[in-house]
Amino acid sequence: MEDLLKNDERDRRVLELYERVLEVEQRLIPTGLHVFGRASANAEVADLLRMVASFDRPELGVRALTDLIAEGLGLPGYATLLSESGASNQRMLDREKVEAILREAIARFLATPDETGAASAAELLRERAAVPVAEAARVFAVLAGIVKQLDSNHEIESLVSALKGDYVKPGPGADIIQNPSVLPTGRNTHAINPYSVPSAGAVRRAEPVVEALLGRHLKEAGRYPATMAMVLWGIDNIKTEGEAVAQVLGLLGVAPRRDAMNRATDVDVIPLEKLGRPRIDVVMTVSGIFRDLFGSTMTLLDTAVRRVASLDEPSSLNFIKANVQTQMLETGCSFDEAAVRVFSNAAGNYGTNVNFMVLDSQWEDSSELGDLFLTRKCFAYGRDSKGRAFDGREARKLMERALQRVEITYQNIDNTEVGIIDVDHYFEYLGGVSKAVERQTGVRPTIYLSDTMSPTAKIRTLEETVRLETRTKTLNPKWFEGMLSHGFSGVAEIEHHITNTFGWSATADAVDDWVYDEVAATYVLDEQMLDRLRSLNPHSARTLVGRLLEASGRGLWSAEQPVIERLREALGSLEDELEGVRG
């Protein structure tokens, strides 16, 4: 019996490792910087089409090819195969079979990406997986349009037209996988009607994400989180038509109410019997751009919080009500003060400046980062019980009290191009609010991110996300060789990735030692690579090496002494070169 248990554990670990390797392999990443006016390469198009074809498009009357293939083979839906393949060898094989047929069909279609190729690919799916030809044809018609638009790049012509003051055709801004209508590029991107946020589609997409987020915490902590802090960005909610907003409403247990003009003007409370779980208290930290673009949405969110806090429900199932009542009793504040949950910058101000403090190394203790976040983002937005607006009122004490109850912090990732180590704004906001929570509670909250770039909603911890992006980008030869092909700018991009990784150490201590070990081995201890970086961009190379030494010096990386000595030698050599000192 003991041997059987050992074998079962071994098999479980092997399947888990396989899933992680597969996750890295299938991760869609940019393999170079975007070159203005240049169309996408064929390999990129194939990967993109496979992702696009893996999602239902109800607005186009198109179903996901992965589901059609699975059904034709007599298997459960592709989402079920994804969720069960980590625990079942058979489900893993079924999933691989579906994906292999999809790859073969896309490759056949791209051989002649027109009606002929579409018909040939549809016939292959009929033969291999009994997929109805009519269903497959509709999918390939959509893919054919995408291929045509990817081939027609008018970015330079549109730029010239804009500089001349001529009309440039408009187009929506979003991720291609989520919304293929963003193509062709080179158009004047526009936003959305803020009064329609969140859209019906955003509400539909938000539901499984909320379930996955709460389900993961319930599994790991054994209970629902009473209070969480969530980051809301303006551009992301434009691209997704308010998916993050819909998630907040879902967590609160309400649904948007629309008027005759499809404007989300109020909320309807979802009964606890239908909700099937407690209402979660959500503290919202809102970007300055969101504040400027979505004033009506901020009012909607504030209305939702106050409505839920006023419900006649048991406090054990309404965490907002419980927290508001507790704060009123403990501090003697009014209901209006205790129910404030929407915070942003003062009017006219933007950002947290946490990223600048980290990048300029202008901090001694990490608590300074949390304090700066609070200072910049502690301005309350909403209306009181009499309907009077208090937009932009400084409310540091109220924000501190709200954050004292936070157990988890959370943000969405909704773009295949930009992840949490591609830009500094992720650690600026999510890292900043997490450090602010830690400053108030003395304990670092659990930090989650959602990934909506796959057919099933995936919730990862910050540590898991850092590891995944490090493996798929920073340490991936396909990624860094693609960057190095761009010379000076490519080296700068590599340095930005490592600096942003350091930002997650500074704000959340979320980077494993092996990440820095491998970064140092890949970019500095390898003499040939260091020479390439030096020749292409010695300034960024110096910053890269300096950042690794800073991580060690601040106790964020337990590096071996010989490695530190090699890094110091490399830094000294780069500084001498930049200062014109000859050996």
Side-chain angles (χ1 to χ4, degrees):
M1 178 62 72
E2 185 176 343
D3 289 340
L4 287 174
L5 291 175
K6 287 182 179 179
N7 289 338
D8 288 343
E9 175 64 15
R10 180 201 62 195
D11 291 345
R12 186 190 66 79
R13 294 295 300 273
V14 169
L15 281 172
E16 181 180 296
L17 179 61
Y18 170 81
E19 282 297 302
R20 293 185 180 183
V21 171
L22 196 63
E23 185 177 42
V24 171
E25 179 188 10
Q26 294 184 335
R27 186 78 167 177
L28 199 60
I29 63 168
T31 53
L33 299 172
H34 175 68
V35 179
F36 197 75
R38 181 184 295 175
S40 301
N42 288 338
E44 296 173 349
V45 172
D47 291 336
L48 179 63
L49 294 186
R50 282 197 294 271
M51 286 296 292
V52 170
S54 298
F55 286 82
D56 286 333
R57 310 283 171 184
E59 69 280 6
L60 301 175
V62 167
R63 294 188 59 200
L65 275 185
T66 43
D67 281 338
L68 291 172
I69 294 170
E71 288 180 12
L73 294 172
L75 301 172
Y78 185 63
T80 301
L81 297 180
L82 284 172
S83 63
E84 296 182 358
S85 61
S88 166
N89 188 57
Q90 184 57 52
R91 285 288 180 253
M92 178 184 70
L93 295 174
D94 292 339
R95 169 181 166 178
E96 288 180 339
K97 185 174 183 179
V98 170
E99 292 169 350
I101 293 173
L102 175 62
R103 282 194 298 271
E104 188 177 351
I106 295 296
R108 179 174 291 192
F109 166 68
L110 284 176
T112 52
D114 51 23
E115 292 182 2
T116 302
S120 177
E123 182 61 24
L124 180 145
L125 291 178
R126 186 190 66 79
E127 295 174 353
R128 297 284 305 279
V131 175
V133 171
E135 292 264 26
R138 282 196 289 270
V139 178
F140 285 110
V142 173
L143 299 184
I146 292 174
V147 171
K148 184 177 180 180
Q149 290 173 328
L150 286 170
D151 283 340
S152 58
N153 190 300
H154 302 295
E155 293 172 353
I156 293 177
E157 294 91 330
S158 295
L159 174 61
V160 172
S161 295
L163 293 173
K164 287 163 52 179
D166 292 342
Y167 176 75
V168 177
K169 291 182 178 180
D175 184 87
I176 295 175
I177 294 171
Q178 289 186 333
N179 183 11
S181 64
V182 302
L183 297 172
T185 58
R187 291 184 293 173
N188 186 14
T189 56
H190 61 75
I192 57 175
N193 177 3
Y195 295 99
S196 68
V197 169
S199 70
V203 173
R204 183 183 68 250
R205 294 191 302 270
E207 289 177 359
V209 179
V210 169
E211 290 178 7
L213 173 64
L214 296 180
R216 170 144 193 187
H217 188 271
L218 180 62
K219 180 180 178 181
E220 295 179 349
R223 57 180 175 77
Y224 288 103
T227 309
M228 58 182 287
M230 185 168 172
V231 175
L232 297 175
W233 282 353
I235 302 301
D236 285 8
N237 278 282
I238 287 173
K239 293 187 295 185
T240 64
E241 299 180 328
E243 188 171 329
V245 174
Q247 290 174 13
V248 173
L249 298 181
L251 289 162
L252 297 174
V254 299
R257 182 192 302 168
R258 304 185 188 279
D259 62 14
M261 299 179 67
N262 197 38
R263 296 178 300 186
T265 56
D266 206 341
V267 296
D268 291 317
V269 175
I270 301 171
L272 285 172
E273 298 77 21
K274 183 178 180 182
L275 191 63
R277 59 165 173 81
R279 304 186 193 278
I280 311 301
D281 193 353
V282 185
V283 182
M284 289 156 267
T285 55
V286 176
S287 73
I289 293 177
F290 188 104
R291 173 202 63 204
D292 292 348
L293 296 178
F294 294 104
S296 60
T297 306
M298 292 177 71
T299 300
L300 182 73
L301 293 169
D302 177 70
T303 298
V305 170
R306 293 171 183 276
R307 183 76 49 77
V308 171
S310 302
L311 293 173
D312 183 15
E313 294 177 342
S315 296
S316 60
L317 295 174
N318 187 329
F319 298 143
I320 310 165
K321 178 181 180 179
N323 290 337
V324 167
Q325 289 180 338
T326 299
Q327 185 170 329
M328 291 171 66
L329 287 172
E330 291 179 350
T331 67
C333 68
S334 66
F335 174 86
D336 286 332
E337 291 178 318
V340 171
R341 291 295 184 274
V342 183
F343 297 93
S344 187
N345 299 81
N349 287 339
Y350 301 85
T352 72
N353 289 355
V354 168
N355 52 335
F356 298 134
M357 182 178 275
V358 170
L359 300 181
D360 295 338
S361 303
Q362 296 298 314
W363 56 286
E364 295 297 329
D365 187 273
S366 62
S367 64
E368 297 173 34
L369 303 174
D371 183 69
L372 177 60
F373 184 91
L374 277 165
T375 300
R376 296 283 297 176
K377 305 298 291 187
C378 69
F379 296 83
Y381 288 80
R383 294 181 180 273
D384 62 20
S385 300
K386 296 181 180 180
R388 295 173 299 196
F390 52 82
D391 291 354
R393 173 170 61 88
E394 187 172 2
R396 185 183 177 103
K397 284 294 183 184
L398 297 182
M399 188 173 188
E400 288 177 344
R401 290 169 185 164
L403 294 181
Q404 284 172 1
R405 297 182 291 272
V406 168
E407 301 172 60
I408 67 175
T409 55
Y410 167 73
Q411 188 172 2
N412 290 285
I413 302 176
D414 60 5
N415 193 304
T416 57
E417 297 283 335
V418 181
I420 65 168
I421 59 174
D422 287 287
V423 294
D424 57 12
H425 298 304
Y426 278 105
F427 79 75
E428 173 195 3
Y429 274 86
L430 184 58
V433 71
S434 300
K435 183 57 68 174
V437 169
E438 183 180 350
R439 185 178 183 276
Q440 297 303 309
T441 64
V443 179
R444 202 208 77 169
T446 304
I447 308 173
Y448 290 118
L449 295 114
S450 68
D451 181 355
T452 56
M453 292 297 103
S454 65
T456 56
K458 290 188 177 181
I459 303 295
R460 300 186 181 92
T461 64
L462 172 60
E463 290 83 355
E464 290 168 347
T465 307
V466 169
R467 293 172 196 141
L468 179 62
E469 293 204 7
T470 298
R471 291 187 175 107
T472 56
K473 293 181 181 177
T474 313
L475 300 177
N476 184 350
K478 288 185 178 180
W479 182 84
F480 64 68
E481 289 296 344
M483 292 300 160
L484 289 172
S485 67
H486 295 282
F488 184 92
S489 297
V491 177
E493 191 67 20
I494 292 171
E495 180 268 311
H496 292 335
H497 268 69
I498 293 164
T499 293
N500 294 333
T501 301
F502 170 81
W504 286 116
S505 288
T507 58
D509 195 19
V511 184
D512 301 322
D513 278 345
W514 70 261
V515 171
Y516 290 117
D517 290 339
E518 293 300 318
V519 166
T522 300
Y523 293 104
V524 185
L525 305 184
D526 184 327
E527 292 292 342
Q528 289 184 336
M529 175 60 78
L530 182 60
D531 286 343
R532 292 174 69 187
L533 300 179
R534 184 200 311 268
S535 64
L536 293 171
N537 186 338
H539 300 277
S540 290
R542 178 185 61 179
T543 303
L544 186 159
V545 177
R547 200 65 72 184
L548 290 172
L549 286 169
E550 183 179 3
S552 172
R554 291 185 181 274
L556 301 173
W557 171 33
S558 300
E560 296 181 356
Q561 191 58 36
V563 173
I564 296 300
E565 292 173 1
R566 292 276 302 276
L567 292 175
R568 287 173 178 161
E569 291 174 6
L571 182 64
S573 174
L574 286 163
E575 289 180 339
D576 288 346
E577 180 177 334
L578 289 170
E579 294 172 3
V581 177
R582 297 183 178 275

